[in-house]
Amino acid sequence: MIAAYAPATVSNVACGFDVLGFALDEPGDIVGAALAEAPGAVIAGIHGDHGRLSWEPRRNTAAMAAQALLDRLGTRQGVALHVHKGLPLASGVGSSGASAVAAVVAVNELLGRPASREVLLACAMEGERAGCGAPHPDNVAPALYGGFVLARPADPPDIVRLPVPAGLACAVLHPHLEVETGAARALLGDTVPLGAAVQQWGNLGALVAALFTGDLALLSRSLDDVIVEPKRAGLVPGLAAVKAAAREAGALGCSLSGSGPSIFALAADAAVAARVGEAMRVAYAQAGGGVDADLWISPVGTSGARVVAGLAEEA
Ligand code: HSE
């Protein structure tokens, strides 16, 4: 049994819908992979999902990604996967993407590392296609590579790893709601007013420049989504109050994480992130309609997915 860990990710990062994301250090998913006799990828166990994820390989993001890798490699080797969910489902922190990435990293290691990271990314994106119908790279790319990753749409996407300013940290509030990514995407329509587009691409360009220069004031001004978040805000009661509380407590910015319901805030360091997270928690307790929430504080995680020890007994 070879196991790999892939972290939670914050995609979109306010102004970078479908093209920008960053990784946390924790929490994350672990997938163990073992050789199996019958060809193809199968699910041999799922833990931590309260029985909700499908074991059917064509409906499981980890198995779909692993199968895509086997197909790319042209092998009839069989692999059995044990999925350990550390991430809640439909939570907006890249849960399906983390399982897909951990699966391809584990299977690649099991087979002697025949595939490049570019190939692993393409295969993990096939897992995302199984998850929500759209193979968007903005969760799987940072889960695989770590740090901030810009994925310029193309086939294959241009993957641009961006610098992480020293100390940059994140608070993520996870309301105990579920938002299906497909449903959240269905709210968006397919046209954007030109003025909003100008604002958004200005924000995204400035955000990228701010990461390169370490200009946190510019980063803070850039963390604003004028196109997508307004259409999804109704999915997360209390969002406006949480955003206001985060900024008030010193966050550089605060927005929906991915398609929600999680809400992330970036902060200059871990101490500020902890203070911001507490303010978000308090605001959500008042404005969130009585829904419980988890709070995670993490540095922006620069390691990405990695092989880990510790699942051997369950093989
Ligand atoms: N960029 C995607 C979206 C991420 O916002 O729909 C989903 O996790």
Side-chain angles (χ1 to χ4, degrees), residues 125-149:
M125 283 173 64
E126 288 306 313
E128 284 292 59
R129 192 196 298 279
C132 77
H136 54 89
D138 51 339
N139 290 112
V140 288
L144 181 62
Y145 290 83
F148 279 84
V149 179

Side-chain angles (χ1 to χ4, degrees), residues 9-12 16-20 91-96 128 132 134 136-139 180-182 184-185 188 228 232 256-260:
T9 48
V10 170
S11 60
N12 300 342
F17 177 70
D18 272 3
V19 300
L20 183 64
S91 55
V93 291
S95 180
S96 61
E128 284 292 59
C132 77
H136 54 89
D138 51 339
N139 290 112
E180 293 298 336
T181 298
R185 295 177 81 83
L188 302 181
V228 174
R232 291 175 166 173
L256 278 181
S257 176
S259 55

